[in-house]
Amino acid sequence: MKAASDNALQRESKARRHSEAWHHLKWPLIALAVVLLFNFFFTPLFFHLEMKDGRIYGSLIDILNRAAPVMLLSLGMTIVIATGGVDLSVGAVMAIAGSIAALLITKSSYSFLSIVILTVCACAVAGTWNGVLVAYAQVQPIVATLILMVAGRGIAQLLTNGQIITFENPSFAFFGGGTFLALPFPITIVAVTFAILSTLVNRTAAGLFIEAVGDNEKASNYSGINTRLVKLAAYTLGGICAGLAGLIVASDIKAADANNAGLYLELDSILAVVVGGTALTGGRFFLLSSLAGALLIQTITTTILTRAIPVEFTLIVKAVVIIIVCLLQSEEFRKKALQLVRRKS
Amino acid sequence: MPQTVPSIEPPLLTLRGIEKSFPGVKALAGVDFTLNRREIHALMGENGAGKSTLIKVLTGVYRRDSGTMQLGGSEIDPRSPQDAQQAGISTVYQEVNLIPHLSVAENISLGRQPKRLGFLRWGEIAQRAEKAIARLDLKLDVRKPLSSCSIAVQQLIAIARALDTDARVLILDEPTSSLDTREVEQLFVLMRKLRDQGLGIVFVTHFLDQVYAVSDRITILRNGQRVGDYAAVDLSRIELISKMIGKDLSEVERESGGKAKPLSTAREILVQATGLKRKGAVENVDLTIRKGEVVGLAGLLGSGRTETARILFGIDKPDAGKIEIDGHKRELRSARQAIALGFGFSSEDRKTEGIIPNLSVRENIILVLQGQRGWLRLLSRKEQEELAAKYIAMLNIATSDAEKPIRFLSGGNQQKALLARWLASKPRLLILDEPTRGIDVGAKFEIQKLMRSLTNEGMSILFISSELEEVVRSSDRVVILRDRARIAELVGEEISQAAILSSIAGTNESSPE
Ligand SMILES: Nc1ncnc2c1ncn2[C@@H]1O[C@H](COP(=O)(O)OP(=O)(O)OP(=O)(O)O)[C@@H](O)[C@H]1O
Ligand SMILES: [Mg+2]
């Protein structure tokens, strides 16, 4: 009898857990499906895929490829936001990554792998700097990361002497433009980063600690969690993700453009996280949903571009779709909307 | 005596067949409730019986699934607490719902600030706040931020806020849970005065003494259903308890007997604190805690009980004084460090220092234990579920399942889950600051039994409670604080409410007050 009710308890638990994760994945996916459906009917060849020289080509692949930098940023951003913070500096850190890589490629003879590792380490340091400001100096996250957002681009420009450095380096070009498993290599980078991060948050207690700190920092602290270290680590991870994103962009355009690399992408990645259902106030977070959010944003952009709608509309359409998804996520709103619909009919 | 006059008037408030379900629970299953003018009506029931839910349905926080509500003969259907307030229902909710960084004055007038030409009138806000506070005989600077006040004072401020309106119905959901005897008495004087002015008052509490001290009628809920509605004078204590927990009288009597307290023998010292001093918190506190004993910490509000606990747990650093643990001098710098030494601390402020609101009951329970193991050694899902299930059963936590976010639990059940969090970490010294706040009579008794068996296994407990009776019943030794300093210590047979009260009052006769 007792065992039976325990089992029932556990079964119910499992159902609730799945429904929670699904609930947050559902809305960006539905929105994505709607946009794709629109393209299915109105954009010729949108779903067309073609195999050429061992690589698949097509709009869908293009979307995945173009979304890679924002997807990477949104993974790191999800964790930072989950701790109750935000990181405005990721776009600038991307620029730093580009500049460092360009310097190393043009001025040194390091191998491709060492260049990647050194650059990512530098970006981890940049993220850690944010973390120190937020966790130890107790500066508000927006202010703390605003510092690097502004200064970071300056640093990137200093590194390149204010010039756009172009370079030719076949092995580095692979990072952003190569083909792996018939797909653009950035897709693999995103997949591997996602796999590592989800292992980290699901197979260790890191996920629990991050959510606890974001949800109630004081109570977490009194429960013996090293809240400062958790926050610091979140910003470090954010820096690493930004570094990888910066490398993809630099490798793709074969240049370090300190002025424009990653410009405004911090905002896109925050949007992706919010669309994915992670609350800006911190707590529960959903990595996969953030990826879906990033894909949604990129799909909208690509749709507009391929349909020859004036680009100026991109931002407006993006904003509208995102508002709709955010509203749909609010149970309160759904209830009110349903009531309205019912009253009408 | 208004309460003996048979009511000829129609009832002030009538609820009929109120139903409310949440995913996985039917919180209210057709509840009727009637409140008259000039009446203090106690709403009683175990943790999770549905008291707070009924109040939230009545005041528009939740929408009822079905049922009718009438106030003064006309149907009401409030959609928000503001709606309810406009209709004349003023409420103090169980969890203090004020805004910590705003000033006391702003909190009191929140949502109904006096304005002229769209500008706030600060002078008037402060004046009104001062008046509201004076009604409760409270003296404090209304310009201070709310967060600088203790939980008890915050509770009083919430009450002052509710009283600051022209209400016909006043609802108080466990308003006294953190108040001491004197403040409770003040509140009661005020409640009686308001009743005599014609108000109907709904009063939720788990303190039976208080129920009988002020209430005229009692409605009992059990598992979301109304058991009955009685005149307070007609219902004996033991009947009340047995109706609340749904067991018959003999069972209750048998269970509440036999609480012999083993005398503590001289045992090894676990913690010895001497001359603890911290500006604005404690002046001079000495404290010795031996292995396997319950040390009660008694004193009025502001006497330095919680402050002492916070220092022992490494949250606040003392300016002077020495703490020895197992005979070694230690400087505690953080809660983390204290936990590593085998300490646990269940805070009196369960909302801001206790629960992680959106995490599940399971995650809340395993949090400290997982923190001790470190981030790499994650408790397996199965271990976590087993632990949660074990404590849910052991402490009788009412929840539809372990994955429910803890904020959806009733207040008393949240408190039990927090206790579970610390028990799961198997501390050597457990500091319990008001652990029975909001916990029903049955569960209080269970927790006392539990404390006893834990100490028999060697755990030490530092027990802080405003309820003297509880301190007397559970403690092997009682340390009494007054004005932030230790003034006396009672051991074994000497421990009695009268003795504690006389020390607190500073007299040597054993007569209280
Ligand atoms: N928002 C909610 N979502 C889901 N379940 C809820 C919610 N609010 C209350 N419940 C459930 O409804 C039941 C009744 O809760 P309620 O808070 O009314 O109890 P209570 O009688 O006030 O108990 P206590 O004495 O502990 O305060 C509980 O089982 C609780 O878990
Ligand atoms: Mg309640």
Side-chain angles (χ1 to χ4, degrees), chain B residues 51-52 94 173-174 410-411:
Chain B
K51 305 177 293 292
S52 299
Q94 185 171 9
D173 194 352
E174 300 196 29
S410 81

Side-chain angles (χ1 to χ4, degrees), chain B residues 188-465:
Chain B
F188 285 177
V189 169
L190 198 69
M191 282 167 67
R192 291 189 192 103
K193 197 169 94 192
L194 290 169
R195 172 190 63 195
D196 298 344
Q197 286 168 8
L199 251 73
I201 300 178
V202 180
F203 177 50
V204 178
T205 184
H206 288 293
F207 299 103
L208 300 188
D209 290 341
Q210 298 182 358
V211 174
Y212 287 102
V214 283
S215 333
D216 307 310
R217 296 193 72 77
I218 299 174
T219 289
I220 299 173
L221 296 184
R222 187 169 69 235
N223 293 332
Q225 285 175 321
R226 194 189 74 149
V227 177
D229 178 351
Y230 313 87
V233 285
D234 296 341
L235 189 68
S236 76
R237 231 166 231 267
I238 209 86
E239 275 173 325
L240 170 61
I241 296 175
S242 74
K243 287 197 157 61
M244 271 168 58
I245 65 181
K247 289 182 188 169
D248 67 22
L249 293 180
S250 56
E251 250 177 291
V252 176
E253 270 163 352
R254 195 174 59 237
E255 282 196 3
S256 57
K259 47 196 167 191
K261 192 169 58 182
L263 275 176
S264 70
T265 45
R267 304 188 208 211
E268 257 176 280
I269 293 176
L270 177 63
V271 180
Q272 181 149 41
T274 36
L276 291 184
K277 202 170 284 190
R278 182 181 154 88
K279 198 158 174 290
V282 292
E283 294 299 333
N284 186 7
V285 172
D286 298 340
L287 192 63
T288 306
I289 302 168
R290 288 166 204 279
K291 290 191 179 151
E293 72 173 355
V294 180
V295 177
L297 207 51
L300 295 177
L301 225 137
S303 59
R305 294 170 307 183
T306 297
E307 290 79 358
T308 305
R310 288 172 64 92
I311 291 174
L312 282 183
F313 194 60
I315 295 173
D316 293 331
K317 280 142 217 94
D319 301 331
K322 185 170 80 166
I323 299 177
E324 279 177 32
I325 297 164
D326 297 319
H328 301 290
K329 185 165 183 293
R330 296 273 188 181
E331 251 171 71
L332 294 169
R333 289 204 185 79
S334 66
R336 260 176 80 67
Q337 199 192 348
I339 290 171
L341 286 167
F343 288 13
F345 170 56
S346 171
S347 161
E348 66 170 339
D349 188 349
R350 108 179 131 232
K351 192 174 168 193
T352 63
E353 298 180 353
I355 61 167
I356 314 284
N358 293 299
L359 296 199
S360 65
V361 176
R362 163 181 59 83
E363 288 164 308
N364 269 280
I365 289 177
I366 62 140
L367 191 63
V368 172
L369 180 59
Q370 183 62 61
Q372 283 175 322
R373 290 168 60 100
W375 67 285
L376 280 174
R377 291 171 54 226
L378 180 66
L379 286 158
S380 77
R381 190 66 197 208
K382 191 153 170 284
E383 289 171 301
Q384 297 188 18
E385 272 162 16
E386 280 167 4
L387 271 170
K390 172 179 154 197
Y391 285 104
I392 286 173
M394 175 169 155
L395 299 175
N396 208 356
I397 300 172
T399 176
S400 51
D401 63 281
E403 294 307 310
K404 192 168 183 158
I406 196 170
R407 72 190 161 99
F408 292 141
L409 260 56
S410 81
N413 286 302
Q414 290 179 10
Q415 189 69 46
K416 291 190 209 167
L418 291 181
L419 186 60
R421 174 191 290 175
W422 290 109
L423 293 183
S425 79
K426 302 223 175 344
R428 294 198 294 156
L429 168 65
L430 183 54
I431 305 171
L432 297 172
D433 195 357
E434 304 285 359
T436 56
R437 163 169 304 160
I439 281 187
D440 66 47
V441 259
K444 252 178 210 168
F445 178 62
E446 289 300 321
I447 286 179
Q448 249 164 48
K449 276 208 303 208
L450 183 70
M451 279 169 56
R452 194 41 70 199
S453 74
L454 290 171
T455 48
N456 286 342
E457 287 163 23
M459 189 187 290
S460 311
I461 294 176
L462 182 64
F463 181 59
I464 304 175
S465 171

